[in-house]
Amino acid sequence: MSTLLETRDLVKTYGTGEAATRVLRGLSLRLEAGEMAALLGPSGAGKSTLLTILGTLMKPTSGQYEMLGQDMIAADDRALTEFRNAHIGFVFQFHNLLPDFTALENVIFPAAVRAGRETPAARKRGRVLLERMGLAERIDFPTANLSGGQKQRVAVARALMNAPDLVLADEPTGNLDRASAMQVMDLIGEINREEGTTFLISTHDEKIAARCRRQVGVRDGIVTEEPHLA
Amino acid sequence: MRYALKIAIRYLTANTAQTALLVTGVAVGVFIFIFMSALIGGLAEFILSRTVGDLSHITIEAEDRDPAVLIDAPGHVLAAIERGNTRTATLADAETWLPLIEGVPGVRAVSPQITGAGFLTRGAQVAQVSVTGVVPGRESAILDLQGYIVEGTALTGSGLIVLGRDLADDLALSLGQTVRLQSSGGITALLTLSGVFETGNGAMDGARAFVSLSVARTLFAMPQGVTRIEIKLDDLNAADATAQRIRALTGLDAVPWTDGAEQLMEALNAQAQTGYVLKTFALITIVIGVASALMLSTFRRRPEIGIMRAMGAGRGFVVFVFVTQGALIGLLGGITGAALGYLALLPFPSREAFEPGTLPMDITQGSYGLAIALTVIGAILASILPARAASRVDPVTAIGQ
């Protein structure tokens, strides 16, 4: 496997002076392409901050971050936006779909924003992804009419739309019942195995973490353990 | 940017009640803009038609030659020839110029005239009059003489005279009666009253007499030429340019009505300025309305903007979405307001039929295209601030909301 991303000595401090809070304290991490890793740790350990930095939505206070051989710290906003669109997918805890759009329109958003229009190819892939998520009957439904589990599966489909190298999932099942959570994890595992997409999943749930081949522990802003499960 | 347009339209149609309210607000502003344009334009038209409508739009007058002066070397005047009391200045070549002037684009009518002073005498009654000799049949070419006739006819001809109401009353003259007219040169003619006019203008009704050009030639001993050429235009606002053209064409001193009408022009300008101020306020209202509505929309949609940014939408894309919303609101409101304005102006009489006591609304001066264009531009400008705010939304904090 080749290295997908690597961070070295990441430091992130919020605020200044006496109010300064150091969330990441020199965090180093390497992810190989095709991995499916769980990010474990207590609340406030820095999991979400790490995902945000890895997702190029925020820059660290100091440290180095490279993905696909590119320096993510030196890149400007425009370059990061284009990189994010092409190589990174997101799944949030609260699905974060666009409420005024249908399931299909939400899924193809990353492709449409890149092409400047909704291409037939994007529509076709969007349908395939939604069918794979078990939402064939909900393709043209407004997202407001979907259940929580269905919305989260739409969010997974959207994250996969541009065939990204990395999908960052922040508590993707935290807001779902057990059955829906397992359904979403099954789909993620399937995509990981079949398409080789790298997943980094932040979770408190050890059963969810156990579904991942690698577990990364974060405590007090640093990686404390990397137990590999069989 | 087709996709950004789709999102902008979706945002507008997602909340139809709010969008309809916003478009209505813009439409009301445009309606006021158009109403004011039609009123100010119509008012100016009305005032001009009432004050200048009966006047010559361009006048060419013969100028008396300066008296000859004989001066010796040190500057002492040795001899001077004083101006006589009889008319000497004439437009001798008027007949040559008339067809040329009539051919100038925008010229509606040309009236060659011989003017001068004289005395009307009837019995012991004597009145000083200003005499105008006109070509029979063209009496109403400049002043709508026939329109002001209260008795008889405006037609002049051999041995006929048309007088103002006050003058006729002062001389106790009735239609068909005769009166003696003596010119300033001492030549007398006996004329029959053929018509009486009443313009409402005291100077006109009490001291003006119209005769035929041939009678005037006799009275002022002018066998050829005229003293004055009056010109009426299709558009009195084109007087300056047309006068310049006639000057260039003929070399004659063609004077537009605007020369010497500075006070009227100032009053009209002041009125126009008032209109501009009111229209500017209407536009400012539109801009503030659109800006505040889009600012609220930006705030409400912060999480969505954050999601879009996370999914790879650039700042430019977000700006385009919100600016397009502003432009669409401006366009819809502009077209709606312009249509409503036009419909509201339809019942008003046309500019040719303005009546005293009614609002002189000129439907042709609604500035509909300008109103729509300015509204769209204003709405786009109004959306720039909210759009910039939207593009600067931090996706991390927005998604976390």
Side-chain angles (χ1 to χ4, degrees), chain A residues 23 141 146 151 227 229:
Chain A
V23 179
F141 268 46
L146 301 178
K151 284 177 184 172
L229 301 180

Side-chain angles (χ1 to χ4, degrees), chain A residues 208-223:
Chain A
I208 296 295
R211 307 280 296 258
C212 301
R213 290 195 298 281
R214 179 184 171 193
Q215 295 178 320
V216 178
V218 178
R219 183 179 291 274
D220 295 330
I222 55 169
V223 172

Side-chain angles (χ1 to χ4, degrees), chain B residues 286-297:
Chain B
I286 292 170
V287 169
I288 291 174
V290 173
S292 57
L294 284 179
M295 199 58 108
L296 277 175
S297 170

